[in-house]
Amino acid sequence: MRDLDNSSLGQDAAEYAVPADLAAMRVDYGVAHFGSGDDTDLDETWLAGGWEPLLRHWIEQATAVGIAEPNAMVLATVTVAGGTPRPVARTVLCKGLSSEGVTFYTNYDSAKGMQLAEVPFAAATFLWAALGRQVHLRGAVERASAESTAVYWRSRPRESQLGAWASQQSRPIASRAELDAALAATTERFAEVDDIPVPPHWGGYLLRPDEIEFWQGRRSRLHNRVRVRVAEGRQVVDRLQP
């Protein structure tokens, strides 16, 4: 592993360095600023039909206003390597949404896959800053069925399928050239194969949330927070102070 010093970041990096007063950075949330067209405060009654319809609606609204990858979510898992539990977060794409939970796909041998094998619980956050909205989900995680994985795999572009075979996700590699060479070799391997099979080390996970929180930014930091707790097929909805 190479150590990097400031000089390796580019000789002219200083030209682009702009002093930032992080403590002074803030946004006064509200419809006037975000222009979402929704001046209605998030209310507990919006969850009367369950959490999934509202989450789906918010994703659709984010899509409608042109937010890039509105299905992106920050996924947090836990690693117990070294004996001390530590949280690990990264961004993934939600590729399935139902009343059961949210589905995402990855390499089972990746860091997140190994962590989920150790501790099968996770948290996920959808953030649409341009709309002043967030949704947090927390709960148990299980592998998706082979059938659902196969259906999604067939929908992926061929280049993405080849990448899944070529990459030993989360493992160190000497250079970008070596990664490109692995992809070239994989491309040649499947050159005569019309339907590339699902790798045995790749598939889906279903996060079944038992707690879902909807967040709506409001002025003076008096944000709206409505939480849904799910247990034994029933849901309890309450409002949290910001």
Side-chain angles (χ1 to χ4, degrees):
M1 180 176 179
R2 294 178 296 170
D3 292 329
L4 302 179
D5 57 27
N6 290 336
S7 63
S8 68
L9 300 180
Q11 295 180 350
D12 57 351
E15 297 180 12
Y16 300 97
V18 178
D21 184 356
L22 298 180
M25 291 181 180
R26 60 180 55 85
V27 171
D28 189 14
Y29 291 93
V31 175
H33 178 82
F34 292 99
S36 67
D38 179 9
D39 60 356
T40 307
D41 282 320
L42 171 63
D43 189 78
E44 294 89 328
T45 59
W46 293 14
L47 281 306
W51 63 270
E52 183 267 338
L54 182 56
L55 174 54
R56 184 178 297 276
H57 180 59
W58 280 15
I59 293 175
E60 290 171 348
Q61 287 189 319
T63 303
V65 300
I67 292 176
E69 295 194 321
N71 59 328
M73 62 183 189
V74 177
L75 178 74
T77 53
V78 176
T79 177
V80 294
T84 301
R86 299 179 64 182
V88 184
R90 81 288 286 162
T91 301
V92 300
L93 295 178
C94 171
K95 290 296 184 177
L97 175 60
S98 70
S99 59
E100 292 185 328
V102 296
T103 302
F104 60 94
Y105 294 85
T106 191
N107 186 316
Y108 290 140
D109 296 330
S110 66
K112 72 178 81 65
M114 300 296 286
Q115 290 151 15
L116 288 170
E118 292 178 321
V119 183
F121 292 87
T125 292
F126 292 87
L127 169 63
W128 308 285
L131 295 178
R133 293 173 176 173
Q134 301 180 62
V135 177
H136 313 291
L137 306 95
R138 309 171 186 93
V141 178
E142 62 189 53
R143 287 192 181 188
S145 68
E147 292 76 16
S148 62
T149 291
V151 169
Y152 173 67
W153 176 262
R154 289 194 294 269
S155 75
R156 303 188 88 205
R158 185 177 180 88
E159 292 78 9
S160 297
Q161 294 177 342
L162 291 169
W165 273 100
S167 174
Q168 295 180 315
Q169 191 174 3
S170 300
R171 298 182 184 179
I173 193 166
S175 65
R176 176 71 202 197
E178 186 172 320
L179 181 61
D180 291 340
L183 178 59
T186 302
T187 301
E188 183 177 357
R189 172 186 175 186
F190 291 105
E192 304 300 324
V193 178
D194 291 332
D195 297 318
I196 300 174
V198 180
H201 56 266
W202 192 94
Y205 287 99
L206 174 65
L207 167 57
R208 294 182 178 272
D210 53 32
E211 184 174 315
I212 308 97
E213 179 186 330
F214 290 82
W215 182 98
Q216 181 189 53
R218 280 299 183 256
R219 292 184 176 89
S220 303
R221 290 300 191 260
L222 292 178
H223 309 309
N224 288 316
R225 297 176 60 191
V226 176
R227 178 180 61 185
V228 182
R229 287 174 291 175
V230 180
E232 298 180 353
R234 301 180 62 185
Q235 68 172 24
V236 176
V237 180
D238 54 7
R239 176 175 289 272
L240 305 177
Q241 297 184 56

